[in-house]
Amino acid sequence: MSVRTALTAAALTGGLLVGAAAPVFGAAPAATASQPAPSAAPASPFTVADRDREATTVSVAGEGRATAAPDMAVLAVAVETTEPTAKRALAAQTVAAEAVLAAVRKQGIADRDVQTESLSLNPVYQHTDRAASKLTGYQAGQTFSIRIRDLARTGAVVEAVTAAAGDAARINGVTFDVADSSALRARAREAAHADARSKAEQYARLSGRELGRLVSVTETGSGTHRPVEMPGAAFEAGKVPVAPGEIRDEVAVTAVYELY
């Protein structure tokens, strides 16, 4: 048999071997250890029901109050003089005002704590039933705001003012307050925030849910600072109250919480 004839016969009889070997090469990439099959994406820890619960929120209103003892007094003082002419009325008012300023300085009141609130000059008329109004003179006035940082000296300052200006002096009232209200406001905010959270926790329990994170908080009341005011009549007959009651501050908030 010739060599060519032998090769042809081998090709015919060995086709099954070649064909059988082919699947081994085609499957090789799948059997390669260095290329593992990609793993499936991790399942989400939340179901559709969980996502519905996650979207639930509760909105609550909170109120907070804080009080403190006053540490200063603001005295409202005025001087008024009436004279036949405007010039004389202004001159008399100037004398009375200077006397008041000198008196409060002697009481240890700093110039920065004394402020002129208003200055006026008005005609004075006499009204009768039979004739037209008649000009009788002019009234000049000036009002002051005096901050007294030592409450124990409130009565002494009032007495000094009235003694210095005499009949021209007017005590319109006093307001007891705190010099720095920021700490009082901060405590009122804390109380309002705690009140809102307490309400949200209650609503969570009532609905069978758990309280989640705070979504938003809005200060709706912006605080109501309430100093203690006393009318000028309280100073009659030497009755000078010192630091009565307490200063109160109030804050209102609206808070939104998630419920799970």
Side-chain angles (χ1 to χ4, degrees):
M1 181 182 295
S2 65
V3 176
R4 183 175 182 180
T5 302
L7 292 174
T8 302
L12 293 173
T13 58
L16 294 176
L17 296 176
V18 174
V24 176
F25 292 104
T32 302
S34 61
Q35 297 180 357
S39 60
S44 172
F46 299 103
T47 64
V48 174
D50 290 332
R51 286 195 293 269
D52 291 340
R53 290 168 64 87
E54 185 181 13
T56 303
T57 60
V58 60
S59 178
V60 292
E63 296 180 352
R65 298 177 180 84
T67 59
D71 57 13
M72 76 169 189
V74 180
L75 186 64
V77 174
V79 290
E80 292 180 354
T81 58
T82 302
E83 297 291 341
T85 65
K87 183 177 180 179
R88 291 175 58 180
L90 280 174
Q93 179 267 317
T94 299
V95 172
E98 289 177 346
V100 167
L101 295 176
V104 297
R105 290 191 186 102
K106 289 182 179 179
Q107 293 296 319
I109 306 298
D111 289 343
R112 65 186 178 93
D113 289 330
V114 181
Q115 183 177 15
T116 296
E117 297 289 344
S118 66
L119 183 64
S120 62
L121 176 64
N122 298 301
V124 177
Y125 293 95
Q126 182 180 14
H127 299 278
T128 63
D129 295 335
R130 298 180 180 179
S133 299
K134 179 181 179 181
L135 178 64
T136 59
Y138 290 84
Q139 184 182 76
Q142 187 170 182
T143 60
F144 297 95
S145 174
I146 303 172
R147 285 187 291 272
I148 306 171
R149 300 184 185 274
D150 183 1
L151 287 179
R153 300 200 59 78
T154 303
V157 173
V158 172
E159 293 176 3
V161 167
T162 55
D167 293 339
R170 304 287 185 273
I171 304 298
N172 294 330
V174 64
T175 302
F176 295 95
D177 207 342
V178 289
D180 183 7
S181 62
S182 59
L184 186 64
R185 177 63 53 81
R187 289 196 287 115
R189 286 195 179 107
E190 291 175 1
H193 186 276
D195 182 49
R197 183 175 180 85
S198 176
K199 292 177 180 177
E201 290 173 345
Q202 182 182 16
Y203 280 117
R205 291 193 302 270
L206 293 173
S207 58
R209 294 175 177 268
E210 294 183 359
L211 187 65
R213 69 184 181 91
L214 175 64
V215 177
S216 66
V217 60
T218 305
E219 190 170 300
T220 55
S222 70
T224 304
H225 185 203
R226 298 184 178 180
V228 180
E229 298 181 357
M230 285 290 168
F235 297 97
E236 294 179 358
K239 298 178 181 179
V240 182
V242 177
E246 292 181 322
I247 308 305
R248 185 174 66 179
D249 206 353
E250 299 178 354
V251 171
V253 299
T254 298
V256 178
Y257 286 88
E258 289 183 342
L259 296 180
Y260 293 98

